[in-house]
């Protein structure tokens, strides 16, 4: 604690809100740390603590200024005892021993590394860890490990796709995909979703998400496959996993939040050329890398136009916002919301929506702009 100790004693015993501590923390730092604890809980299949840390991180993110002292977190909602203990450590010692313990844990390190590969989830990561594997090199050298197609692409483009995607890169990809879709169907509609739509203070993302539709019902059928073919013809499709639609509108909206929606979609890796970037930003590459392109992960979802507003809302995020909105619909309004539909359980009917505003109105909520969906 060194030189900070007298100041801290005073702070702990005397003040609740006015703070003399010299340690100034940015809330990002706290939320990153909480996200790591959430991830660790996820690896341990502890759903409750995982959600609690994510919820606490959301609360901290929504604060207008950085937390500088313990008093500032006292009255905040959704901050459980574990979160408070971690925050306390950070505020007093400038570090959290609990977090450092997690960060230095061999299993956590291995699972974090393995799940950073596209196509590798916690279960596969755990399996590899139990086999004694600790590095990506070891996995690739292990003859008994059968990688699936997605994982092979994940390893092949690992360096590129584990690098953040910039806003400028997302913009360039949007132009490419929009041009491609318009070449096939001039009236097709493409929307940027995910972190790059909502911004949410993010300059970078791990992938770029898009939603594709046609103004006329049914005309979207086959469009996504044609877009994929065209991307392939242009030589920019490095990897594609396509999933057909399994939407069944006779089913009520799903209660399971983590369940993937049933729209037709594809998980892509695209080749983005330096020349496709506008002057406001170059490619995110390692310093000194001479290659004039990089690989980027792209998710592309196609919906019929009557489902578009629900899909747009569901794919804009943040995840916590989506989770809370669904919970609100269920608990406060007796409605079921998912990426496909909104169902009123009392009236026993599906509520139509052509825009996100319609959905908020059905829920009796004021419209919230994408950049405010920061939870
Ligand atoms: N989404 C969701 N539930 C999931 C996965 C995604 O509600 N299980 C929604 C919310 C996300 C959006 O889809 O914001 C896009 O998913 P991403 O994983 O791409 O997340 P982001 O785009 O928000 O962040 P990033 O891509 O930078 O990690
Ligand atoms: Mg994304």
């Amino acid at each position: 604690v060194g030189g900070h100790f007298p100041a801290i004693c005073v702070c702990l015993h005397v003040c609740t809100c006015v703070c003399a501590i010299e340690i100034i923390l940015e809330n990002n730092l706290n939320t990153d740390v909480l996200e790591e604890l959430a991830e660790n809980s996820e690896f341990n299949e502890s759903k409750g603590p995982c959600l609690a840390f994510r919820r606490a991180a959301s609360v901290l993110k929504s604060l207008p200024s950085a937390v500088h002292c313990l008093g500032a977190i006292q009255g905040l909602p959704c901050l459980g005892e574990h979160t408070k203990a971690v925050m306390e450590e950070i505020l007093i010692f400038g570090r959290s021993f609990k977090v450092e313990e997690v960060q230095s844990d061999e299993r956590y390190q291995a699972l974090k590394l393995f799940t950073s590969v596209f196509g590798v989830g916690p279960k596969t990561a755990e399996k590899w860890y139990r086999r004694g594997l600790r590095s990506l090199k070891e996995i690739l050298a292990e003859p008994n490990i059968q990688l699936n197609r997605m994982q092979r692409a994940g390893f092949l483009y690992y360096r590129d796709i584990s690098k953040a995607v910039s806003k400028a890169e997302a913009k360039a990809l949007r132009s490419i995909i929009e041009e491609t879709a318009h070449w096939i169907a001039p009236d097709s509609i493409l929307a940027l979703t995910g972190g790059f739509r909502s911004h949410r203070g993010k300059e970078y993302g791990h992938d770029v998400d898009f939603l594709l539709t046609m103004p006329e019902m049914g005309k979207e059928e086959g469009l996504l496959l044609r877009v994929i073919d065209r991307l392939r013809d242009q030589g920019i499709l490095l990897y594609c996993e396509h999933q057909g639609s399994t939407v069944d509108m006779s089913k009520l909206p799903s209660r399971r939040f983590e369940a993937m929606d049933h729209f037709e979609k594809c998980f892509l890796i695209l080749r983005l050329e330096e020349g496709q970037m506008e002057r406001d930003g170059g490619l995110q590459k390692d310093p000194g890398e001479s290659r004039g392109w990089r690989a980027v992960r792209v998710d592309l979802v196609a919906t019929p136009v009557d489902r578009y507003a629900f899909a747009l809302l569901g794919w804009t995020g943040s995840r916590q916002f989506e989770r809370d909105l669904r919970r609100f619909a269920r608990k406060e309004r007796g409605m079921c919301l998912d990426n496909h539909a909104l169902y009123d359980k009392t009236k026993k009917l599906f509520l139509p929506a052509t825009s996100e505003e319609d959905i908020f109105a059905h829920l009796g909520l004021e419209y919230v702009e994408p950049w405010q969906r920061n939870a």
Side-chain angles (χ1 to χ4, degrees):
V1 187
H4 293 304
F5 192 60
I8 290 159
C9 285
V10 171
C11 179
L12 284 179
H13 291 106
V14 179
C15 90
T16 50
C17 209
V18 184
C19 186
I21 300 184
E22 295 163 55
I23 303 162
I24 305 294
L25 283 168
E26 288 306 322
N27 285 346
N28 293 3
L29 191 74
N30 295 325
T31 55
D32 286 353
V33 152
L34 294 176
E35 295 286 357
E36 283 198 275
L37 293 176
E39 197 178 25
N40 184 52
S41 305
E42 197 172 10
F43 292 153
N44 295 334
E45 293 183 56
S46 311
K47 260 195 165 170
C50 174
L51 261 179
F53 286 128
R54 294 235 152 93
R55 214 170 272 274
S58 294
V59 170
L60 292 182
K61 265 189 236 167
S62 70
L63 296 179
S65 58
V67 170
H68 295 183
C69 66
L70 291 174
I73 58 169
Q74 288 314 326
L76 295 176
C78 306
L79 260 55
E81 57 176 304
H82 294 298
T83 299
K84 280 190 177 151
V86 167
M87 297 285 295
E88 247 174 67
E89 281 186 325
I90 296 177
L91 287 164
I92 295 172
F93 304 110
R95 53 196 275 209
S96 161
F97 303 104
K98 168 73 190 152
V99 174
E100 285 175 6
E101 192 186 309
V102 167
Q103 286 168 339
S104 59
D105 179 61
E106 197 184 22
R107 178 170 169 275
Y108 173 75
Q109 285 175 1
L111 265 57
K112 195 174 167 72
L113 177 68
F114 299 166
T115 53
S116 72
V117 179
F118 174 50
V120 179
K123 288 217 168 76
T124 304
E126 177 77 41
K127 210 167 69 191
W128 290 347
Y129 176 78
R130 288 202 180 165
R131 287 172 88 151
L133 301 165
R134 297 292 180 266
S135 70
L136 300 183
K137 241 186 188 165
E138 283 171 8
I139 292 164
L140 291 173
E142 172 63 56
N144 293 325
I145 284 189
Q146 290 281 327
L147 298 176
N148 63 30
R149 210 170 70 84
M150 193 182 255
Q151 292 160 350
R152 284 204 301 275
F155 274 102
L156 190 58
Y157 299 109
Y158 182 77
R159 267 180 48 152
D160 271 12
I161 58 183
S162 54
K163 239 174 286 167
V165 185
S166 71
K167 261 188 194 172
E169 287 168 337
K171 205 170 140 193
L173 282 161
R174 187 204 173 117
S175 303
I176 293 167
I177 297 173
E178 201 155 50
E179 236 168 69
T180 306
H182 284 167
W183 187 83
I184 297 160
D187 51 351
S188 59
I189 298 159
L190 183 80
L192 188 61
T193 59
F196 285 111
R197 172 169 187 242
S198 45
H199 297 300
R200 308 196 309 262
K202 284 172 65 166
E203 289 295 314
Y204 295 93
H206 97 278
D207 67 359
V208 196
D209 308 285
F210 296 100
L211 197 58
L212 185 65
T213 194
M214 289 291 287
E216 207 180 316
M217 276 296 284
K219 289 273 193 244
E220 76 288 349
E221 276 171 34
L223 175 62
L224 190 57
L225 284 172
R226 292 180 67 197
V227 168
I228 295 167
D229 282 345
R230 177 84 183 146
L231 293 171
R232 188 180 291 114
D233 293 345
Q234 294 173 80
I236 59 175
L237 190 76
L238 298 173
Y239 172 83
C240 171
E241 158 138 348
H242 173 264
Q243 291 181 355
S245 165
T246 53
V247 175
D248 177 355
M249 281 314 296
S250 65
K251 283 208 177 122
L252 294 187
S254 167
R255 279 192 64 129
R256 277 183 51 226
F257 173 73
E258 296 297 343
M260 203 23 124
D261 64 44
H262 297 278
F263 295 120
E264 180 185 13
K265 58 177 73 66
C266 55
F267 307 106
L268 308 173
I269 300 177
L270 296 185
R271 178 184 161 114
L272 182 61
E273 305 281 342
E274 190 97 64
Q276 284 159 329
M277 300 288 298
E278 284 181 13
R279 259 170 303 165
D280 55 350
L283 288 180
Q284 301 294 304
K285 292 190 302 188
D286 289 335
E289 202 171 274
S290 58
R291 196 159 52 106
W293 64 276
R294 69 161 289 187
V296 188
R297 271 271 304 113
V298 170
D299 287 344
L300 192 48
V301 182
T303 68
V305 69
D306 68 339
R307 302 294 106 207
Y308 180 76
F310 299 102
L312 184 63
L313 178 61
W315 273 86
T316 297
S318 70
R319 280 173 199 222
Q320 196 58 47
F321 177 84
E322 304 294 341
R323 192 189 295 276
D324 287 345
L325 194 63
R326 287 176 191 203
R327 196 180 143 104
F328 175 85
R330 201 173 61 243
K331 301 242 172 207
E332 305 294 327
R333 298 289 186 253
M335 294 180 185
C336 275
L337 173 70
D338 71 3
N339 284 8
H340 312 94
L342 178 63
Y343 181 77
D344 188 324
K345 287 193 279 186
T346 323
K347 294 183 187 151
K348 292 192 169 50
L349 54 88
F350 283 95
L351 303 171
T354 57
S355 65
E356 289 179 316
E357 282 86 341
D358 288 349
I359 305 171
F360 281 95
H362 284 313
L363 292 170
L365 290 172
E366 227 173 86
Y367 178 69
V368 176
E369 295 287 350
W371 56 270
Q372 291 174 313
R373 302 177 199 169
N374 190 30

